[in-house]
Amino acid sequence: MEVVTPERALQAPPADATGYWLPDVDFVVAVFPARSGWETPSALFLDIGVAIGKHIPVLLIAEPPRKVDSSLAPLPLARVSLTNQPTLAARIKQFISVISNDFRPVGEDPPRVDHHMLDAISRDLEVLREQQLVSDQSAYLFEEIALRLLRAGGADVEAGNKQDMGYDAAGWVRGTETIFPDPLLFEFKLLREPRVAQQILAELAGKIAKRGASFGVIICFSIDPGPVRWPDSPWPLLIGFEITDLIQLLRGQTLAAVLRNRRNAIVHGGSVL
């Protein structure tokens, strides 16, 4: 990987085209940071043009509210904050999967989650509940369980770092590309009692608006058994699951189908559940 800064992009390319850096790369990621009044250097357009001419795949990353020149509209574009490492990683990973022919066609769902996998995850949740403890370690274990379930369902998700960003992972679920063109933000909550505080939904809704994500997905699990109570207020762009309910849904549907159905219900006036 070679990183080219705006300062270097402003430099004229060498007269000898054979010495130019682009022929030696497999793909190009052109980054447009959110700098007020910062215009795209002409050399960067040249880099992109050379890449297109040599059939080198190009991904544009624009940090909101930065706009990209209309002449670049045909190229794939991700609007992501440059400090949002999980979403950046997930978006670039998806791009690499596409150009390496390792990505499923839009609209095609991965197979259903294997029932043996669902049984194993259910047992891990029961072990977690038996500990009767909500700590940093138990919350981390629940996050790992939830990520395992999502990935088994065909999700390309990357977990965040240990800092509290208002969500725990970001990425895409194969088979939902047409309704979730931007990344999904995932929040995993291990609860002491079966009740989701309104503040949890409000914080995730704020992150969705700030990060330019498609939807937020909250997956929770209560140490104290019983039906989880969710806030009564409707929350646009938020989907919520109690993880054992999600496991039951995945016994008969794909993860993509579950998310599509829940999203459609919300858009037509349904609740977050």
Side-chain angles (χ1 to χ4, degrees):
M1 177 179 294
E2 181 167 355
V3 177
V4 180
T5 65
E7 291 74 20
R8 178 174 170 185
L10 286 168
Q11 298 175 3
D16 179 9
T18 60
Y20 200 44
W21 66 279
L22 274 175
D24 297 324
V25 302
D26 296 315
F27 63 92
V28 172
V29 178
V31 179
F32 297 82
R35 298 179 183 174
S36 177
W38 192 83
E39 296 184 359
T40 304
S42 58
L44 187 54
F45 280 111
L46 176 61
D47 289 344
I48 294 172
V50 171
I52 295 172
K54 293 182 175 294
H55 305 290
I56 298 173
V58 178
L59 170 66
L60 308 179
I61 294 179
E63 185 176 33
R66 177 65 182 271
K67 295 182 179 180
V68 175
D69 305 78
S70 59
S71 60
L72 300 176
L75 297 175
L77 170 65
R79 296 194 177 278
V80 183
S81 169
L82 299 183
T83 60
N84 188 351
Q85 295 180 7
T87 305
L88 274 172
R91 186 64 184 87
I92 294 174
K93 179 181 177 182
Q94 183 198 39
F95 175 69
I96 294 173
S97 295
V98 170
I99 64 177
S100 62
N101 297 319
D102 188 36
F103 200 74
R104 294 176 179 270
V106 171
E108 179 182 340
D109 291 8
R112 293 180 187 175
V113 182
D114 181 80
H115 281 212
H116 294 294
M117 168 70 79
L118 295 176
D119 293 340
I121 291 175
S122 295
R123 289 193 296 269
D124 290 344
L125 290 170
E126 287 304 314
V127 171
L128 189 61
R129 178 171 278 162
E130 289 171 1
Q131 296 176 0
Q132 291 292 310
L133 179 66
V134 176
S135 64
D136 289 343
Q137 180 62 24
S138 56
Y140 174 76
L141 290 174
F142 175 61
E143 178 180 319
E144 289 297 305
I145 292 171
L147 284 171
R148 183 151 48 101
L149 179 63
L150 291 172
R151 288 167 178 157
D156 292 318
V157 289
E158 295 292 333
N161 53 33
K162 295 305 179 183
Q163 297 178 347
D164 185 8
M165 299 182 294
Y167 59 94
D168 297 309
W172 286 261
V173 176
R174 297 181 184 182
T176 66
E177 297 92 338
T178 56
I179 61 172
F180 299 134
D182 296 309
L184 292 165
L185 301 185
F186 295 88
E187 175 75 354
F188 310 122
K189 281 296 180 182
L190 183 62
L191 308 170
R192 296 180 185 276
E193 57 183 25
R195 184 181 67 85
V196 177
Q198 185 165 321
Q199 180 182 358
I200 295 174
L201 278 68
E203 289 176 354
L204 184 56
K207 289 298 179 181
I208 293 169
K210 184 176 180 180
R211 300 293 188 185
S214 291
F215 256 74
V217 181
I218 297 178
I219 300 177
C220 66
F221 181 66
S222 175
I223 294 297
D224 183 2
V228 172
R229 302 189 304 276
W230 296 80
D232 294 331
S233 302
W235 289 88
L237 305 184
L238 287 183
I239 299 173
F241 296 102
E242 197 281 328
I243 193 169
T244 58
D245 292 340
L246 178 57
I247 290 172
Q248 285 302 115
L249 290 171
L250 292 177
R251 292 187 183 277
Q253 306 174 60
T254 65
L255 177 60
V258 170
L259 290 174
R260 287 196 302 263
N261 293 339
R262 189 63 59 84
R263 176 264 185 192
N264 291 340
I266 291 172
V267 169
H268 291 91
S271 68
V272 67
L273 298 178

